[in-house]
Amino acid sequence: MEARDAARALGRLGGTALKAKIAAIAAVVFVIFLLFVGLLGAGGGHAAYADSCGDRGTPGVDYGDNGDIGDGRPNPAKDLQQQEIANAKIIDGVAADGGLSGRATLIALMTSLQESSLLNIDYGDRDSVGLFQQRPSAGWGTKEQIMKPKYAAHMFFFGGASGSPRGLTDIKGWETMGLGQAAQAVQQSAFPSLYDGQEDYARTIAKSAGIDLERAGKGGTPDDGANGDQDQDQTANPDGECYPQDGTPAKPGAPFHDGAASWPAVVKNPRSTADAIAWARNEAQNGGQDWYRACLAFVASAYGWNFSGTLYAVDHYKEMPASMRHDKDRNPSPGALMYWETSHRAGHVAIYLGDGKIASNDVLRPGYIDIVPATDIETKWGAKYLGWAPPYFPKGG
């Protein structure tokens, strides 16, 4: 019986006042009924996305409607395997972005399978959590950070910015030692022999995820970063990527150094570079909670624009003329705009102030601007550094 029919039937029970009360109650029931139906209808479609920063205990992936047994009932085993595949893709993405080989991915998959069944669980031995059961008390990050699969994978591969805790690339000879031995070198487990037993299933998951375990590394050496030295002098290679003097790619989280590039003549803003930096510093010291998820609006405002003319930070970087983009270069000039890919569509942009520091929103305080090391966006957010560009706003106004 529909709610309106119920209202009519109940309305015949008594006097005018009673009728009015009952009709009002029935109307509320009907509204709730409509909301319930609407919510069910809205939940009928699932848009797949790979956020990698999902809620605690889950990867940030919507798997769609393929996880049932066949009669409409959920299939827990299939759902778990889908989670494993989704997390495997995230782990491999971090490895590939860092120039690491498929062997590095295989070691990480074996490790995570042994530690957490390749599931992003929020519990474990003592304070261990996440895909690799990393411990906040051992310096792997906060619990909230470790529960982000992309961050956890980044830490497994590259370790802490100071070389402690050590990641896989901090282990001397990791690409030539046994797979389980390399995993144990990072994890320091009380049961070192168990990692090798995960190789076959790791390869199965990799195949299901479309991961190329034969992928070669790009430019690295087995000893790259073995000493955890992040402070080597750096020079740019012909492709614009900043390399240490030994020719190996700079690790994510390596320091940024001041460059001396001048802006092209076409770069004209209401505020000068010096004034924009001063404005950004003042906003960090005296500004309010106005900049939540508004990084591109902030940098445009710093240079005197009311709006940037572009919706997303990543798009702003990609729309830059190729001659202005300094991809992966870690020597930005003060006043430059620095860009990162994050787990969200928009990405992130900040103003480089010099001496390795940026003015950025949402790092220390949601909505506020703070002055922080530029490396924080990689090491604390697990973001991928894209590069820097002059403060060019061709669509600004």
Side-chain angles (χ1 to χ4, degrees), residues 290-301 348-349 361-362 367 369:
D290 303 321
W291 305 108
Y292 182 63
R293 293 187 176 182
C295 56
L296 186 56
F298 165 68
V299 299
S301 296
H348 189 66
V349 62
N361 60 305
D362 298 339
I369 303 300

Side-chain angles (χ1 to χ4, degrees), residues 110-350:
M110 291 166 57
T111 303
S112 184
L113 281 168
Q114 176 58 38
E115 296 290 354
S116 68
S117 298
L118 199 51
L119 301 175
N120 193 30
I121 55 178
D122 63 349
Y123 56 87
D125 178 51
R126 290 172 286 184
D127 59 338
S128 300
V129 294
L131 290 173
F132 299 92
Q133 290 292 280
Q134 294 157 333
R135 299 180 60 195
S137 62
W140 290 97
T142 66
K143 184 175 182 179
E144 288 72 21
Q145 288 173 326
I146 295 170
M147 286 304 301
K148 296 178 180 179
K150 190 173 182 180
Y151 173 92
H154 182 277
M155 289 296 291
F156 176 83
F157 289 124
F158 302 107
S162 63
S164 178
R166 295 195 306 170
L168 181 64
T169 56
D170 294 315
I171 307 302
K172 187 175 182 179
W174 69 270
E175 284 196 309
T176 57
M177 65 176 59
L179 299 170
Q181 183 184 2
Q184 170 63 8
V186 178
Q187 298 296 104
Q188 298 294 303
S189 169
F191 305 96
S193 63
L194 298 180
Y195 296 110
D196 279 324
Q198 300 292 347
E199 181 179 353
D200 288 344
Y201 190 58
R203 291 184 179 277
T204 298
I205 289 294
K207 184 177 181 180
S208 298
I211 294 171
D212 179 14
L213 295 180
E214 303 304 317
R215 181 186 66 242
K218 297 180 180 179
T221 66
D223 295 341
D224 181 29
N227 298 318
D229 185 0
Q230 300 283 335
D231 297 317
Q232 303 173 68
D233 291 332
Q234 298 181 340
T235 181
N237 76 339
D239 295 327
E241 184 171 6
C242 189
Y243 284 7
Q245 287 184 344
D246 65 1
T248 58
K251 291 170 58 176
F256 292 91
H257 301 282
D258 293 3
S262 58
W263 311 147
V266 70
V267 177
K268 298 179 180 179
N269 297 302
R271 285 199 184 100
S272 67
T273 299
D275 287 343
I277 291 175
W279 186 92
R281 288 185 178 277
N282 181 71
E283 189 66 20
Q285 184 175 358
N286 302 310
Q289 194 175 4
D290 303 321
W291 305 108
Y292 182 63
R293 293 187 176 182
C295 56
L296 186 56
F298 165 68
V299 299
S301 296
Y303 275 96
W305 298 101
N306 292 320
F307 54 88
S308 68
T310 306
L311 288 178
Y312 299 120
V314 167
D315 293 342
H316 191 247
Y317 184 64
K318 292 178 179 178
E319 290 171 2
M320 288 277 180
S323 61
M324 293 189 189
R325 294 196 303 266
H326 298 263
D327 293 341
K328 300 182 181 179
D329 180 44
R330 303 182 85 88
N331 300 281
S333 298
L337 306 183
M338 300 176 67
Y339 299 82
W340 292 263
E341 280 186 349
T342 66
S343 59
H344 298 284
R345 163 70 175 83
H348 189 66
V349 62

Side-chain angles (χ1 to χ4, degrees), residues 17 32 39 68 103 114 189 211 303 337 351 369 384 395:
I32 294 173
L39 289 173
D68 58 60
R103 182 182 180 85
Q114 176 58 38
S189 169
I211 294 171
Y303 275 96
L337 306 183
I351 296 178
I369 303 300
K384 175 186 175 182
K395 301 177 183 177

